[in-house]
Amino acid sequence: MSRPKIFVTRRIPEIGLHRLRESCEVDVWEDALPPSHANVMERTRDCVGLLSLLSDRIDVALLDACPALRVVANYAVGFDNIDVSACTERGIAVGNTPGVLTEATADLAFCLLIAAARSLGAAERSVRAGEWRTWEPRGFVGRDLTGATLGVIGMGRIGSALARRCHAGWGMRVLYAGPRAKPDVDTALGAQHVPLPQLLGECDFLSLHAPLTTATEHVIDARALALMKPSAVLVNTARGRLVDQTALHEALASGRLFAAGLDVTDPEPLSPDHPLLTLRNCIVVPHVGSATVGARDAMAEIAADNILRGISGEPLRHAVGT
Ligand code: GLV
Ligand code: GLV
């Protein structure tokens, strides 16, 4: 019997590829840059499984070109790159990799929060540029963390892992906004579910952890930014399109907002001459929230497992949609 064919859109950790190769014919996109939409369509044409990245758009055109497809396993927790309902209509299972990247991503959010609060990017660049002349009583004066108020939009796994760090480490008061109150989080962290305008007005640090949907797109726009304290810091490790970047640039450039730390942007990559990168109060890193050995290995294992289950018609380890 011929082995089921799988297309993997980039080289992922060997632990996942090895599992797939045990029973499947595995075609891996070896370039450092992602395949184009046409490339993915072409290489997936006769595959039963597609292991995709968040940079691959899995839409109706692609699904229609790949009639044998049974499962799409995204190597990510987010799945806004996939038309899940179109997959469901065609009986194609969709999987993601939640849980295993929670701590790594919360660590990066925490890292960006401090980095933005203490102007770490600009401070480090000044040393490299030979601008460090003396100890400056007024140089790079940042914001205090202890006792501050953290606002979280999207109190899921990653949001609550960040809130735990901020509450336990700096005694921060925790507020969150989102569709539902989370009584277990409230009890553990003394957190409070509040309406979005209240959250925006009261927080010193705002961290975004909501999935990208039509309801959350540009949740941080000019109006939202206008409600925030000028001393506040925005952190985004979720998806770039949660933020209206033009409005963010204006708020940062005019001093309406103290600083921002971004792991995600719109688009990705951000071009090197993007206006956000001219600001000293904005630190940007290239979507590396889950980039630890442990998280990436565990993501590869789950994505491979989702593929293997999907092609044998079993429920996925982590399925999205219905
Ligand atoms: C990364 O952004 C992910 O969704 O896993
Ligand atoms: C994602 O893992 C989340 O629930 O925050």
Side-chain angles (χ1 to χ4, degrees), residues 239-251:
R239 285 294 180 267
R241 291 214 318 266
L242 298 180
V243 176
D244 175 341
Q245 264 177 202
T246 308
L248 176 63
H249 176 267
E250 269 171 33

Side-chain angles (χ1 to χ4, degrees), residues 199-213:
L199 177 102
L200 294 168
E202 291 187 20
C203 69
D204 301 300
F205 297 95
L206 175 62
S207 194
L208 308 183
H209 300 283
L212 175 65
T213 64

Side-chain angles (χ1 to χ4, degrees), residues 77 98-99 101-102 154-159 209:
V77 64
L101 45 67
T102 301
M155 189 61 108
R157 287 171 288 254
I158 300 169
H209 300 283

Side-chain angles (χ1 to χ4, degrees), residues 54 75-79 97 101 237-239 264 287 290 299:
L54 55 90
Y75 182 67
V77 64
F79 48 87
T97 63
L101 45 67
T237 55
R239 285 294 180 267
V264 290
H287 205 150
S290 67
M299 289 163 66

Side-chain angles (χ1 to χ4, degrees), residues 210-230:
L212 175 65
T213 64
T214 46
T216 61
E217 182 162 12
H218 286 192
V219 60
I220 300 305
D221 58 7
R223 272 177 54 197
L225 289 163
L227 293 175
M228 293 177 69
K229 299 180 187 175

Side-chain angles (χ1 to χ4, degrees), residues 37 41 45 57-67 83 86 90:
H37 189 250
M41 209 142 54
R45 201 170 292 279
R57 183 165 43 85
I58 312 300
D59 58 9
V60 166
L62 188 141
L63 298 174
D64 284 345
C66 307
D83 186 338
R90 289 162 178 75

Side-chain angles (χ1 to χ4, degrees), residues 102-321:
T102 301
E103 303 301 329
T105 308
D107 284 346
L108 190 83
F110 163 109
C111 191
L112 286 173
L113 188 156
I114 310 181
R118 301 297 297 269
S119 310
L120 215 64
E124 206 262 356
R125 284 192 298 279
S126 81
V127 174
R128 288 180 191 247
E131 292 163 2
W132 183 11
R133 291 174 308 174
T134 180
W135 187 87
E136 293 276 0
R138 292 177 303 142
F140 299 107
V141 174
R143 317 298 330 174
D144 293 291
L145 272 54
T146 302
T149 296
L150 172 72
V152 172
I153 297 184
M155 189 61 108
R157 287 171 288 254
I158 300 169
S160 44
L162 174 70
R164 208 173 353 100
R165 284 158 175 71
C166 292
H167 183 68
W170 298 305
M172 283 197 200
R173 169 176 171 244
V174 178
L175 304 177
Y176 64 101
R180 275 173 303 280
K182 308 272 171 95
D184 48 331
V185 177
D186 298 1
T187 312
L189 303 175
Q192 226 187 316
H193 184 235
V194 296
L196 184 59
Q198 182 183 346
L199 177 102
L200 294 168
E202 291 187 20
C203 69
D204 301 300
F205 297 95
L206 175 62
S207 194
L208 308 183
H209 300 283
L212 175 65
T213 64
T214 46
T216 61
E217 182 162 12
H218 286 192
V219 60
I220 300 305
D221 58 7
R223 272 177 54 197
L225 289 163
L227 293 175
M228 293 177 69
K229 299 180 187 175
S231 56
V233 170
L234 172 70
V235 175
N236 190 3
T237 55
R239 285 294 180 267
R241 291 214 318 266
L242 298 180
V243 176
D244 175 341
Q245 264 177 202
T246 308
L248 176 63
H249 176 267
E250 269 171 33
L252 290 170
S254 65
R256 265 294 300 129
L257 190 69
F258 183 74
L262 310 176
D263 183 39
V264 290
T265 58
D266 176 26
E268 290 178 10
L270 207 59
S271 89
D273 57 2
H274 192 281
L276 275 180
L277 300 180
T278 64
L279 299 173
R280 52 196 302 294
N281 55 349
C282 187
I283 179 165
V284 182
V285 293
H287 205 150
V288 291
S290 67
T292 69
V293 174
R296 291 283 167 87
D297 278 354
M299 289 163 66
E301 271 190 289
I302 293 178
D305 207 33
N306 279 340
I307 291 277
L308 295 173
R309 289 178 189 226
I311 61 182
S312 60
E314 289 169 54
L316 306 193
R317 195 145 130 213
H318 293 288
V320 303

